[in-house]
Each structure stands twice: as C-alpha cells, then as structure tokens.
Amino acid sequence: MDVYEAVTSRRAVRGFTDQPVPREVLERVLSAAAWAPSGSNIQPWNVYVLTGAPLAELKKRAGERLAAGEPFDEAEYVQYPPDLKSPYSDRRSAFGEQRYGALGIPREDVEARQRAASANWQCFGAPAALFCYIDRDLGPAQWSDVGMYLQTVMLLLRAEGLHSCPQMAWAKFRKSVAEIVSPPDELMLFCGMSIGYEDVTESYSRTGRAPLDETVRFIDGD
C-alpha cells in the first residue's frame, strides 16, 4: 500500500471484528511511528496499549458507568470552542447529520444518538485500543506533535491492513482509563484509539472533505 492509498483509505471506522491484532504488528507499527516529527525531537507522546483482559475490564467499567447514569469526568481540555464559528461549525454539523443519518437516527432523537455514542466506550468492538497522554506542562506546539504522531500511527495501521478510530470521547472517562493504565499524575489523557480489522458488514457513510480551494491558497510567482 503506497502513502496516497493509506491516506485516502484511512477513516474513522466504527465497527470492528473481534479478530485479535497480533502483538508483533502493534510493536512494528509503534516502533515505526516513533519516527514521526516533533519539535526539537522531544517526542511528547506517552502511549498505553490495551488488549485482552485489561481492555475488556475497561469496557466493562465504562459500560457500568453509562448504565448507572454517572456523569462524565470533568474536562481537562477544551475539545471544541463553545463559540465555534463558520465554516468549522458548519462542517461539524454536517458530520453529525451524515453520521447519524447513516444510522437512521433523526436529529430530534437524542436518546438514540446517545446510544450510538455509547459505542465509543466499547471501542466499537475493537480488540485493541491505544491511549495517548501528554505531559500537562507542554504547550500547543507539543499537542500538534502528538497529532502528527497519531496520524502516523493510523497510516501505518492501514499498511498492515488494519483500521482505527481516534476518540477524544475517552477523555470523558479518563478516570476509568487511569484505573487500568495507572499513568503518572503529570500526564493528561488526550484521546483513545480503537484498533482492529474492519467489520465490513457494518454500513457506513464516509464524510467528505472541503474542496481544495476552500482550504488552500497558492501564491504563485511570475
């Protein structure tokens, strides 16, 4: 698989089979991903990978919290500005309409949307999950480094025939994740990532992208 194919075939998959992901594949991917760029090579990512019984226990705890109606953990960072402006708010709304429309869930059916969202905390059935932390003392530039690292991981997973779904949703259950992985206090959970083989029986509608001239400006010389 070449780089272009990896980029264009990568998407947030929300339906996985239970086929195990070999440990050696995950090690190969994460070893190569360590070559992702970071300012002054500080490599600010801190990663925990769960499979088997530890992941099953995390899913169980998350499911119990949802069933009990427990509140989400307090936010440690802002996922979206409260006054998100156009065109970003438009794109976010379009994604929601397309995502829930593909599931046959109308906008007004809040309960059904919540049930669909709850699949996040079961990793959409994936048998492996990655949790990415960043040191609390680091700043926006290092957060961008973490983003480049995660994208590198996802592209390498495609090269292995695997799919993924990055999930900021896990920050809402960060305390449950911490109970399993026991991170040091100086680390903050940024996101989780479900990893596995796609369940091709699951229907999906792939979200589009803005046209090139909406996001890119070429400044040509003579």
Side-chain angles (χ1 to χ4, degrees):
M1 180 180 293
D2 69 16
V3 176
Y4 279 90
E5 184 180 357
V7 170
T8 56
S9 66
R10 187 221 61 82
R11 60 186 179 82
V13 165
R14 294 180 175 85
F16 295 88
T17 72
D18 59 2
Q19 180 182 346
V21 179
R23 168 73 174 268
E24 59 269 24
V25 172
L26 293 171
E27 289 183 349
R28 184 162 58 241
V29 164
L30 296 173
S31 294
W35 291 97
S38 61
S40 297
N41 195 36
I42 69 171
Q43 304 167 65
W45 43 85
N46 295 267
V47 172
Y48 297 82
V49 180
L50 296 183
T51 59
L55 181 56
E57 178 63 21
L58 177 58
K59 292 177 180 180
K60 175 177 175 289
R61 294 187 187 194
E64 289 173 347
R65 286 185 60 177
L66 284 169
E70 292 185 20
F72 292 139
D73 297 332
E74 62 274 17
E76 293 194 293
Y77 68 91
V78 177
Q79 293 188 3
Y80 302 100
D83 54 350
L84 189 65
K85 63 184 180 182
S86 180
Y88 316 111
S89 58
D90 303 328
R91 294 171 187 161
R92 188 183 182 197
S93 294
F95 163 76
E97 289 297 320
Q98 189 169 355
R99 161 71 176 144
Y100 293 110
L103 297 173
I105 301 174
R107 174 187 288 272
E108 62 274 11
D109 195 340
V110 176
E111 184 177 345
R113 288 191 171 212
Q114 290 174 338
R115 284 198 303 271
S118 69
N120 270 288
W121 300 293
Q122 296 302 309
C123 295
F124 302 105
L130 172 158
F131 294 91
C132 187
Y133 286 77
I134 187 170
D135 196 294
R136 299 175 188 278
D137 293 336
L138 298 179
Q142 289 74 53
W143 283 74
S144 72
D145 291 340
V146 168
M148 289 189 284
Y149 169 79
L150 292 170
Q151 171 76 336
T152 302
V153 170
M154 290 186 283
L155 296 181
L156 289 165
L157 289 169
R158 289 301 302 122
E160 297 285 353
L162 292 158
H163 273 286
S164 61
C165 183
Q167 300 163 275
M168 289 191 295
W170 275 109
K172 298 179 185 294
F173 279 173
R174 60 180 177 80
K175 293 180 181 178
S176 296
V177 178
E179 290 170 0
I180 303 298
V181 306
S182 301
D185 290 341
E186 64 266 23
L187 295 185
M188 177 192 307
L189 178 62
F190 170 45
C191 72
M193 181 189 296
S194 297
I195 298 171
Y197 297 95
E198 180 183 9
D199 182 354
V200 296
T201 67
E202 290 280 342
S203 61
Y204 78 96
S205 177
R206 188 171 192 186
T207 54
R209 294 296 185 267
L212 191 66
D213 62 5
E214 189 174 307
T215 59
V216 176
R217 305 290 184 271
F218 287 98
I219 312 300
D220 295 323
D222 294 332

